[in-house]
Amino acid sequence: MTEGHRPVLLAETLDALAVRPEGRYLDATFGRGGHSAEILARLAPTGRLLAMDRDDQAIEVATRRFGEDPRMTIVKGRFSMMDIDRGMAPWQGGFDGMLFDLGVSSPQLDDARRGFSFRRDGPLDMRMDRQSRPTAAEWLNSAPEAEIARVLRDFGEERFARRIARAVVAVRVDAPIVTTSQFAALVAREIPRREPGQDPATRAFQALRILVNDELGELSRALPAARDLLKPGGRLVVISFHSLEDRIVKQFFAHEARGDAYPTRLPIPQAMLSPRLKVIGKAVRPGVAECTANPRARSAIMRVAERLGEVS
Ligand SMILES: C[S@@+](CC[C@H](N)C(=O)[O-])C[C@H]1O[C@@H](n2cnc3c(N)ncnc32)[C@H](O)[C@@H]1O
């Protein structure tokens, strides 16, 4: 355990990155630095690691733990901005490996004041970056009913999305919904059949979190940027925690491995389609032992790709 967050698929990630001691690496989701610490342990004094996170607390921990390490650069920001972020300028030569360990960290989930968890009463906030807007409550208390229903359905795969949206709009006429418990109780009242082993608020909370942090947009914009910043032979490792994210990663990898789209009737050899990535192995899931020791690993799925091209 590292500062309250147990890194998921740690050994598998390090194997997939195949860290070269003199290489240059990006940890796009520093969190509490579980993966970063292991990458650093494999780097020589000439190796380099750039750690990013959009959460100020993660950046504080990164600075406290690794701020003095000359191999380490720490940048606060969204990973979708990595190609235009000013702090990235010295890295334009490219990376030998990149890690995206998506979603929230345990400290974010466990701190009631951050408002991510339906198990803890706190403000309905859910922002990873507390300088961004809106909070989950601000959005829920102002969005049109149809938009709330769409978000619950598309991002939470919630079957009772319309019913919940109707109840939100009815309740907020009298008083805004401001706490996690208020929203969790409202959702529970509107769901007639519960899924065994799952809190009724699980899907609605996931939907709001994805919306507030634009998680799918971030990932969709970051993957092409990551591809372009990888050196030939460099590895891209993505760990997802729900099927919406994993679908984006899987489809992007498949598209990049196929290369340019030509009409299928043209007899063009595969090499001429100039594929940009090669998919490495199959999707990896944590074993029983890891899931038992760390229940948050249960939904993790890791995919790995390698940048194709001429090594100069
Ligand atoms: C699952 S945790 C990473 C845990 C980390 N690998 C460790 O071992 O401690 C995900 C982290 O990514 C950050 N994050 C999520 N989306 C981000 C984005 N679009 N840009 C930058 N950071 C992001 C979150 O703030 C969170 O700290």
Side-chain angles (χ1 to χ4, degrees):
M1 175 114 50
T2 356
E3 299 231 13
H5 182 90
R6 204 187 277 263
V8 169
L9 289 167
L10 185 58
E12 294 83 349
T13 302
L14 271 295
D15 276 355
L17 284 172
V19 176
R20 296 194 303 109
E22 321 251 295
R24 294 145 63 96
Y25 291 87
L26 168 69
D27 181 351
T29 50
F30 177 84
R32 287 299 177 271
H35 293 95
S36 274
E38 287 300 315
I39 296 171
L40 278 175
R42 287 162 174 75
L43 288 181
T46 48
R48 292 287 177 268
L49 175 63
L50 173 62
M52 285 189 97
D53 207 293
R54 75 205 303 199
D55 184 319
D56 285 307
Q57 288 176 349
I59 295 299
E60 271 165 39
V61 173
T63 309
R64 183 157 30 88
R65 281 187 78 187
F66 302 113
E68 302 291 307
D69 190 323
R71 300 168 301 170
M72 181 91 159
T73 303
I74 301 161
V75 171
K76 185 199 162 178
R78 290 187 277 140
F79 55 56
S80 65
M81 304 288 283
M82 70 177 118
D83 50 346
I84 30 182
D85 206 303
R86 273 177 299 129
M88 298 290 288
W91 300 82
Q92 292 306 320
F95 291 91
D96 295 283
M98 297 181 173
L99 168 64
F100 292 78
D101 177 18
L102 301 170
V104 281
S105 66
S106 301
Q108 286 169 329
L109 267 177
D110 293 343
D111 183 347
R113 291 166 302 179
R114 303 298 301 267
F116 283 104
S117 174
F118 47 78
R119 293 204 180 87
R120 292 164 213 273
D121 188 26
L124 189 61
D125 187 320
M126 297 199 191
R127 290 167 301 163
M128 293 182 194
D129 178 356
R130 285 198 273 189
Q131 268 127 37
S132 69
R133 274 295 187 332
T135 66
E138 285 167 347
W139 182 82
L140 203 60
N141 289 310
S142 59
E145 182 180 326
E147 179 66 0
I148 297 173
R150 186 192 65 78
V151 165
L152 294 175
R153 189 191 60 230
D154 291 356
F155 296 164
E157 298 172 289
E158 173 54 70
R159 285 169 58 207
F160 302 102
R162 286 178 58 188
R163 216 168 140 152
I164 298 168
R166 205 175 310 135
V168 166
V169 172
V171 164
R172 76 187 186 191
V173 172
D174 295 325
I177 300 161
V178 288
T179 67
T180 51
S181 316
Q182 268 179 301
F183 184 52
L186 179 151
V187 173
R189 280 197 303 273
E190 297 305 320
I191 292 191
R193 283 179 299 283
R194 297 172 179 226
E195 289 174 45
Q198 192 185 71
D199 189 287
T202 306
R203 291 170 179 278
F205 270 66
Q206 172 183 304
L208 278 195
R209 203 195 87 194
I210 291 176
L211 174 97
V212 165
N213 297 291
D214 186 21
E215 291 181 38
L216 305 182
E218 277 291 304
L219 181 60
S220 302
R221 291 188 294 276
L223 290 174
R227 171 203 62 205
D228 293 344
L229 287 167
L230 268 180
K231 293 184 195 170
R235 292 283 177 91
L236 175 55
V237 179
V238 187
I239 305 174
S240 308
F241 289 86
H242 52 76
S243 56
L244 299 171
E245 279 170 350
D246 184 52
R247 197 174 308 147
I248 293 173
V249 179
K250 186 177 167 183
Q251 288 177 354
F252 178 77
F253 281 10
H255 178 266
E256 296 299 306
R258 217 169 28 241
D260 302 323
Y262 283 99
T264 44
R265 61 196 146 69
L266 296 180
I268 296 176
Q270 179 65 23
M272 275 183 63
L273 300 178
S274 54
R276 290 167 286 259
L277 292 178
K278 177 168 89 179
V279 177
I280 304 290
K282 290 197 161 81
V284 178
R285 293 174 190 277
V288 177
E290 177 167 2
C291 294
T292 310
N294 179 14
R296 281 181 189 154
R298 274 188 308 220
S299 48
I301 174 161
M302 179 179 95
R303 294 186 188 271
V304 184
E306 188 175 291
R307 180 77 165 104
L308 294 172
E310 302 282 311
V311 182
S312 52

